[in-house]
Amino acid sequence: MGTVERRRWRGASALTLLCATALLAVSAMTGAAQAAPMPEPGAKSLEQVRKEIDELYRQAGTATDAYNLAESEAKAQSAKIVEIAKQVVAGQDRITALKNRAGAAARAQYRSGGMPAGAQLALSNNPSQFLDGADRIRQGEKATTDLLSEMNRTQSDLQQYAKDASAQWEKLEANRIKQETSKKQIEEKIKSAESLETKLQAEEKARLIQLEQEAQYKAQTAWLSTGVLKEINTSASESGKKAVQYATAQMGKPYEWGAEGPSSFDCSGLTSQAWRAAGKSIPRTSQEQLRLLPKVAIKDMRPGDLIIYFDDATHVGMYVGDGAMIHAPRPGRNITLAGAGSMPIKAVVRPDA
């Protein structure tokens, strides 16, 4: 067995041991729960409750992604409105300058007696003065035409700026409504999930954690049994190393929907901030990360790459090597290390491709 293979075997074994140890620890805590009376007929089993809670948090995750996207778009629209306002001010200043130029020309004509330049030229009996005056008239006419054209263009620009600003305000309001709707959905789903959990006894809560870990361990074991780690052997880029270092430094901090640090994060808040720390700006949400970042095959995955989970791409974690990833799981849980295959993988994307 070569050095790389030994290292990956040790890493995979360490992750497997970590999961197994966690399961054993929780099992020891829940010995009394194992001997608890059977649920009453018609009552939900703890596994059913776990699945219901998991689904509620998944729905909250979907709403969180929608909220984060609306917030990101609202920030962009606000910046656009500010830029349009600057353009309007510049356009108005330009109009004022053009009007001043036109006023100066009018005052010059008034000082000459109010007689048009063409009429003054016709009365001239000096051929040289006539020719020189004719040239000046042509130049003046062109300057006047240019002045009027520029004023018209600037007025047209101002009208377009007004239309653009109105459109951006409409989008901003639409996104505000989206945010409010998503926020309400998030809070409702989280409240429902927490309500289910608060009804559980202490032993049942411990058993619930065990069931979560068992489900993750089962999925991770199935993923590893495909031999996937034999193919994944790419080293991290320098930027990827920095992103992983940032993400690992956040372990133990709580999940909070809509949060981007420094004291708490949601799943895409963690990955986007980790890559920002590595010098790369990436989309804020897991769905946009999937849509806009280059995709790579699982066999080509390297530390720092982002793993997008579930069919609706509403969860994301960062691959750290040896079959593991770091993520912010859900409300009530802290940023932690988990198996890269502990949830259904939709795609892998690379921020620094």
Side-chain angles (χ1 to χ4, degrees):
M1 183 182 293
T3 302
V4 174
E5 287 77 7
R6 284 198 300 273
R7 181 179 65 81
R8 297 197 175 281
W9 182 85
R10 286 199 301 271
S13 298
L15 182 60
T16 301
L17 181 60
L18 177 66
C19 295
T21 302
L23 290 177
L24 289 173
V26 177
S27 296
M29 294 166 53
T30 56
Q34 303 288 350
M38 295 294 290
E40 295 179 6
K44 293 180 182 178
S45 70
L46 199 56
E47 175 62 13
Q48 288 174 320
V49 172
R50 182 195 71 79
K51 289 181 177 179
E52 188 172 345
I53 290 173
D54 187 58
E55 179 58 26
L56 285 168
Y57 280 125
R58 286 262 297 109
Q59 292 172 8
T62 300
T64 298
D65 227 38
Y67 178 93
N68 289 336
L69 180 59
E71 182 180 46
S72 179
E73 290 178 344
K75 287 179 181 178
Q77 285 147 8
S78 295
K80 182 64 176 176
I81 289 170
V82 170
E83 182 59 31
I84 290 172
K86 291 179 181 178
Q87 292 173 328
V88 168
V89 171
Q92 290 172 337
D93 289 345
R94 185 63 179 159
I95 287 290
T96 299
L98 292 171
K99 286 181 177 179
N100 288 339
R101 282 172 53 189
R107 288 192 295 274
Q109 181 174 326
Y110 176 78
R111 285 194 296 271
S112 68
M115 185 178 291
Q120 295 179 30
L121 182 61
L123 295 175
S124 174
N125 56 8
N126 186 324
S128 175
Q129 184 181 3
F130 181 89
L131 292 174
D132 184 50
D135 184 57
R136 286 200 302 273
I137 286 176
R138 284 193 296 269
Q139 292 177 1
E141 289 174 344
K142 183 178 185 304
T144 301
T145 300
D146 290 348
L147 178 63
L148 291 173
S149 296
E150 190 168 354
M151 287 184 71
N152 288 334
R153 284 196 303 271
T154 305
Q155 290 281 15
S156 178
D157 287 344
L158 287 173
Q159 291 174 358
Q160 186 59 50
Y161 295 154
K163 291 179 181 178
D164 290 345
S166 178
Q168 291 300 325
W169 276 114
E170 288 178 4
K171 290 180 181 178
L172 192 62
E173 177 61 13
N175 274 314
R176 185 192 66 78
I177 294 172
K178 286 181 184 177
Q179 281 182 276
E180 289 299 320
T181 301
S182 296
K183 180 180 179 181
K184 184 177 180 181
Q185 292 174 344
I186 294 165
E187 291 173 343
E188 287 177 350
K189 299 301 180 183
I190 292 176
K191 184 177 180 180
S192 296
E194 289 175 342
S195 177
L196 285 174
E197 288 190 270
T198 56
K199 293 176 182 178
L200 300 175
Q201 299 297 322
E203 295 84 357
E204 291 176 315
K205 290 179 181 179
R207 174 61 180 156
L208 185 67
I209 294 174
Q210 182 184 8
L211 290 174
E212 288 179 4
Q213 293 177 335
E214 285 176 351
Q216 294 169 5
Y217 179 71
K218 182 178 179 181
Q220 174 72 357
T221 302
W223 185 67
L224 292 175
S225 69
T226 64
V228 65
L229 283 189
K230 295 178 181 178
E231 297 181 328
I232 302 174
N233 55 15
T234 308
S235 299
S237 64
E238 287 304 311
S239 295
K241 291 177 183 177
K242 292 178 182 178
V244 169
Q245 288 171 356
Y246 180 93
T248 54
Q250 313 312 312
M251 288 181 65
K253 292 182 179 180
Y255 176 103
E256 181 183 357
W257 70 265
E260 299 179 84
S263 58
S264 59
F265 299 81
D266 62 21
C267 65
S268 57
L270 175 64
T271 55
S272 60
Q273 289 302 308
W275 272 100
R276 177 174 291 182
K280 179 74 173 180
S281 179
I282 66 172
R284 169 65 176 88
T285 71
S286 56
Q287 292 176 338
E288 289 295 280
Q289 289 168 1
L290 172 66
R291 187 172 72 87
L292 297 174
L293 297 178
K295 297 178 181 61
V296 296
I298 290 178
K299 66 181 181 63
D300 297 322
M301 189 162 56
R302 69 189 186 193
D305 287 346
L306 306 183
I307 307 175
I308 309 297
Y309 293 100
F310 304 112
D311 287 340
D312 56 1
T314 51
H315 192 70
V316 59
M318 178 179 291
Y319 186 64
V320 295
D322 296 321
M325 61 90 172
I326 285 178
H327 72 145
R330 65 165 177 82
R333 299 289 184 266
N334 296 332
I335 295 171
T336 188
L337 182 74
S342 59
M343 293 175 286
I345 297 175
K346 182 175 180 63
V348 178
V349 296
R350 179 164 295 164
D352 62 339

